[in-house]
Amino acid sequence: MSRKLKRSILFWLLLSPIVVVILFPYAVMTISALKSATEVLNPNWWPSELRWQNFPEMWQTSGIAEALANSLYVSALSTVLTILVSIPAAYALSRYQFAGRDLFRQFLLVSQMLSPIVLVIGLFRLVAGAGMIDSLNVLVVIYTAFNIAFCVWMLQSYFSTIPRDLEEAAWMEGASRWRTLIAVFLPLAVPAMVVTAIFTFINAWNEFVIALTMLRTEGTYTLPIRVFSLVAGRYTVDWHYVMAAAFVASVPVAILFAWLQRYLVRGLSIGAVK
């Protein structure tokens, strides 16, 4: 056995407890989703029969499809808006000197210490006063506002690692600042933008409290609220459907991570070097 193989086996043995802890909730969720209604609370780990029909039955009876579409709309649109607003702000912080620059950077960092829950009551009164309760577009605006500070902080840290010489060379060739930003600078910053977009998307996808406060009708429910509605206020809970719905809610984020994994690793590693 080679030394490299021995080290790999040793590392995996050391990592195995962490892997088990992370995957255990997903294993419970998946297996529970495949149990029958009578077996779901049974202490036996493995069901007597795998009921794959739980997923189409849950899809037809729970309204999860509409909630999935709502979550995709809110998360995708808020992510796009956040990135579009954050890129110019992060570029200005990384490339220009101006009065209050360091103070503004500290403000961005301090703002991340405030929980959105603290602002829920004020947000609700503001939105209710504007007559915009029960609107997905309100969620888009709120999520965008809450994520901008984090995105600007992440992007400006990465932007500072990109050499200025590349932009200066483009200017000497006659390119405008806007052309240089689009054709030279932003392509080099794709890993950072992807990482930031992933975190923004996940924050919007998983957000619960603000959505629960602002949404009223079932037609506007996002996935966390729809899954919650399968449990709250019911005398009997179909836990196999709840677990199936939770599994469906986890799939898009898992696919997103798997698809953009190379950008995620590259963006986190390069952005940490200054």
Side-chain angles (χ1 to χ4, degrees):
M1 185 179 294
S2 65
R3 183 178 179 182
K4 183 177 181 181
L5 180 58
K6 290 181 180 179
R7 290 182 60 185
S8 298
I9 294 175
L10 176 61
F11 288 153
W12 276 111
L13 288 175
L14 294 175
L15 291 172
S16 58
I18 300 176
V19 174
V20 170
V21 170
I22 293 175
L23 295 182
F24 181 75
Y26 295 96
V28 173
M29 175 182 66
T30 305
I31 294 174
S32 298
L34 296 173
K35 289 183 176 181
S36 63
T38 57
E39 288 184 316
V40 70
L41 298 179
N42 192 308
N44 293 333
W45 172 253
W46 196 258
S48 59
E49 179 187 1
L50 296 178
R51 289 179 52 86
W52 296 100
Q53 61 267 34
N54 286 346
F55 286 94
E57 290 175 1
M58 175 277 299
W59 188 270
Q60 295 172 3
T61 60
S62 65
I64 200 75
E66 189 173 21
L68 178 63
N70 291 339
S71 284
L72 286 173
Y73 171 79
V74 171
S75 301
L77 186 56
S78 61
T79 299
V80 171
L81 291 177
T82 301
I83 296 298
L84 289 178
V85 173
S86 300
I87 287 175
Y91 182 80
L93 282 175
S94 66
R95 286 297 188 260
Y96 298 105
Q97 297 291 334
F98 53 89
R101 176 174 175 266
D102 293 336
L103 184 62
F104 182 68
R105 293 179 62 182
Q106 294 176 9
F107 167 76
L108 293 177
L109 187 61
V110 171
S111 66
Q112 299 305 297
M113 302 178 186
L114 298 177
S115 173
I117 299 176
V118 178
L119 304 175
V120 164
I121 296 177
L123 284 172
F124 178 79
R125 295 187 62 181
L126 180 65
V127 173
M132 300 179 68
I133 290 293
D134 201 31
S135 171
L136 293 176
N137 292 325
V138 167
L139 281 187
V140 171
V141 174
I142 294 174
Y143 292 168
T144 300
F146 277 127
N147 285 312
I148 283 176
F150 169 78
C151 291
V152 172
W153 179 264
M154 287 281 291
L155 289 175
Q156 65 88 27
S157 177
Y158 186 95
F159 286 177
S160 298
T161 66
I162 298 177
R164 294 175 179 267
D165 297 344
L166 299 175
E167 296 172 87
E168 293 173 354
W171 295 338
M172 293 179 63
E173 294 293 331
S176 63
R177 286 187 177 271
W178 178 254
R179 177 66 177 173
T180 302
L181 176 66
I182 298 298
V184 177
F185 188 87
L186 291 184
L188 297 174
V190 167
M193 291 188 291
V194 171
V195 170
T196 306
I198 288 175
F199 281 107
T200 304
F201 185 90
I202 292 175
N203 286 338
W205 184 267
N206 293 330
E207 203 285 321
F208 175 78
V209 174
I210 295 176
L212 181 65
T213 305
M214 300 298 172
L215 303 179
R216 288 292 179 266
T217 59
E218 293 190 358
T220 60
Y221 281 0
T222 55
L223 269 177
I225 309 303
R226 173 55 68 187
V227 175
F228 172 73
S229 69
L230 298 178
V231 179
R234 297 186 178 229
Y235 292 105
T236 59
V237 178
D238 296 323
W239 287 108
H240 53 307
Y241 289 160
V242 174
M243 293 297 123
F247 180 85
V248 171
S250 305
V251 168
V253 176
I255 294 175
L256 184 66
F257 260 99
W259 182 37
L260 301 174
Q261 182 181 11
R262 66 182 186 276
Y263 292 110
L264 181 67
V265 174
R266 183 182 174 194
L268 290 175
S269 60
I270 297 179
V273 180
K274 298 195 69 175

